[in-house]
Amino acid sequence: SPKWSEGSDPIWRRTENLFVDQYNEPIACFNILPLNGTPHEEHGYFMNMYRYIAADGTRTPGPIAFSQDGFRFNVDVNTQWIDYLSDTGNPTIYDPVIKQYRIYCRPHFADRRVAMLLSPDLKTFGQPTVVLQPDAQDPPHREFYGIDPMQLDDMYIAHLAVYDTEPTEIESPAKMQGTTQTEVAYSYNAQNWYRTYREPFFPRTEAGSFFGGAVYPSVPMRISDDTLLFHCMGQGVEHGAHDEDIPSDRLTEATAWKTFQYEMRVDGWNYLRTRARYGRIQTKALIPSGGTLTANVRTTPTGEARFALLDYQTLQPLPHYSLNESIPITGDAANGLAQWRERNNLDEVAGRPVILEVQV
């Protein structure tokens, strides 16, 4: 939350909560990874920089930096996570399964596909490999600007920035004119990514409005058991358009960069809703590991949700786990506990194939 005081010095010298290097000079960053809960939490915060410009003007692509307070970083120009410019968010996540860090970037400068590299220690870094790119279902000249993932329970969810370029632009090796918006992607291992319905999640808005030309997402953050927080940056003109390209009489508030903050319930990416008053679904066969069963439920004042466990072959309710024995969940419960009259967990059916039935 930057705050600045009045004065004639450069504004960064009058700003609180500024990101600075070891020389107290301002630095630009896209993503910072808090290292708490990782094997390297003694380093505090990790930043993989897009580019670092030293006070003497020396430019270094891809250096790394660490910080104990999240604001003052020690930039290491001798350690580069890549040796080229990856002009996107380049987020880092820690994968507890393989016990390595995953950094998402571009495979080469101006190559707008999604690549990923691994690091075991944030000091040595592997080579980037492409993990997601446009396919035959995409329109011609579509590129992927970048991806911003988070781990959510036992899977990964990401904002995918989709960049539709101008087909007639042929002068530059990298297309600079186009529009951006976002989709949702998901993965079970943080490496093999899938796209959902290919519908915009953060769409461009009407022409001339704040997000009418370019929309860029951020990494989602889980701020409570039932709430996600994320930010989205954009402006009313297209990618590659600058103020100097716009006649002065056309400069409006919509041409300025703006960042909006959004909140969403944890499982708000996708949901099922009854067509009328009642609805019932049955899952594929599942093998519970025991413990409690929670559900993200929101009902009308007259509504409720009940749960049953069925034998996966006969589809008959298991003893003590029928709909009639289910204690209904009502109202708005992002983590509603499924319970039955004589059971409040799934320990009894751990390791047994069952089908989950839900009646709303």
Side-chain angles (χ1 to χ4, degrees), residues 153 222 225 266-267 290-297 307 329 333-340 344-346 356 358:
D153 299 325
R222 188 168 187 166
D225 287 343
V266 165
D267 293 322
T292 58
L293 171 69
T294 60
N296 188 344
V297 174
F307 302 84
I329 297 176
N335 292 281
L337 178 62
Q339 301 181 82
W340 296 263
N344 60 9
N345 59 55
L346 306 184
L356 175 65
V358 184

Side-chain angles (χ1 to χ4, degrees), residues 119-177:
S119 173
D121 52 12
L122 299 178
K123 295 180 180 179
T124 56
F125 302 89
Q127 292 298 312
T129 58
V130 174
V131 295
L132 190 61
Q133 62 185 4
D135 57 32
Q137 296 185 50
D138 287 301
H141 303 279
R142 170 163 287 178
E143 300 177 354
F144 288 164
Y145 210 84
I147 198 170
D148 292 274
M150 70 169 296
Q151 185 173 6
L152 189 61
D153 299 325
D154 59 349
M155 64 183 301
Y156 294 84
I157 302 288
H159 289 145
L160 175 65
V162 176
Y163 179 46
D164 288 313
T165 65
E166 171 51 50
T168 63
E169 183 183 7
I170 58 176
E171 296 179 359
S172 172
K175 289 180 175 291
M176 297 304 296
Q177 305 297 326

Side-chain angles (χ1 to χ4, degrees), residues 61-335:
I64 65 170
F66 292 97
S67 170
Q68 289 298 318
D69 62 7
F71 292 102
R72 297 180 178 275
F73 283 84
N74 186 12
V75 180
D76 180 4
V77 296
N78 297 315
T79 304
Q80 295 173 273
W81 64 279
I82 53 171
D83 58 3
Y84 57 88
L85 299 179
S86 177
D87 187 12
T88 184
N90 307 312
T92 304
I93 63 173
Y94 177 68
D95 187 336
V97 175
I98 64 172
K99 295 181 172 56
Q100 293 202 62
Y101 299 87
R102 298 180 182 269
I103 302 180
Y104 298 88
C105 59
R106 291 178 176 171
H108 301 284
F109 173 68
D111 184 342
R112 299 190 184 101
R113 295 178 292 169
V114 179
M116 186 207 67
L117 60 87
L118 294 173
S119 173
D121 52 12
L122 299 178
K123 295 180 180 179
T124 56
F125 302 89
Q127 292 298 312
T129 58
V130 174
V131 295
L132 190 61
Q133 62 185 4
D135 57 32
Q137 296 185 50
D138 287 301
H141 303 279
R142 170 163 287 178
E143 300 177 354
F144 288 164
Y145 210 84
I147 198 170
D148 292 274
M150 70 169 296
Q151 185 173 6
L152 189 61
D153 299 325
D154 59 349
M155 64 183 301
Y156 294 84
I157 302 288
H159 289 145
L160 175 65
V162 176
Y163 179 46
D164 288 313
T165 65
E166 171 51 50
T168 63
E169 183 183 7
I170 58 176
E171 296 179 359
S172 172
K175 289 180 175 291
M176 297 304 296
Q177 305 297 326
T179 59
T180 62
Q181 54 190 356
T182 76
E183 295 179 359
V184 176
Y186 65 98
S187 173
Y188 297 105
N189 59 7
Q191 180 162 333
N192 304 100
W193 288 90
Y194 308 92
R195 295 158 69 184
T196 55
Y197 303 107
R198 304 193 182 210
E199 297 175 353
F201 184 74
F202 281 119
R204 289 188 299 122
T205 55
E206 294 296 326
S209 59
F210 289 150
F211 282 3
V215 182
Y216 303 93
S218 71
V219 173
M221 296 176 287
R222 188 168 187 166
I223 59 173
S224 70
D225 287 343
D226 58 3
T227 304
L228 293 178
L229 181 74
F230 38 76
H231 300 81
C232 195
M233 180 180 72
Q235 63 178 155
V237 297
E238 299 78 13
H239 179 279
H242 305 285
D243 286 352
E244 57 266 25
D245 302 323
I246 306 172
S248 58
D249 60 345
R250 297 186 193 175
L251 288 173
T252 66
E253 192 177 12
T255 63
W257 286 99
K258 285 181 169 57
T259 299
F260 286 78
Q261 178 175 290
Y262 298 86
E263 286 189 9
M264 187 179 74
R265 62 196 294 126
V266 165
D267 293 322
W269 309 95
N270 197 11
Y271 65 96
L272 293 174
R273 183 174 182 173
T274 59
R275 181 173 178 268
R277 179 176 173 84
Y278 290 96
R280 183 181 291 192
I281 62 171
Q282 292 179 351
T283 68
K284 296 180 180 180
L286 310 172
I287 302 180
S289 59
T292 58
L293 171 69
T294 60
N296 188 344
V297 174
R298 183 160 57 192
T299 72
T300 65
T302 59
E304 63 181 31
R306 294 177 180 266
F307 302 84
L309 297 182
L310 312 180
D311 182 277
Y312 82 106
Q313 292 178 317
T314 67
L315 299 185
Q316 294 302 307
L318 301 181
H320 309 296
Y321 289 101
S322 67
L323 287 177
N324 291 335
E325 296 170 289
S326 173
I327 300 174
I329 297 176
T330 61
D332 189 351
N335 292 281

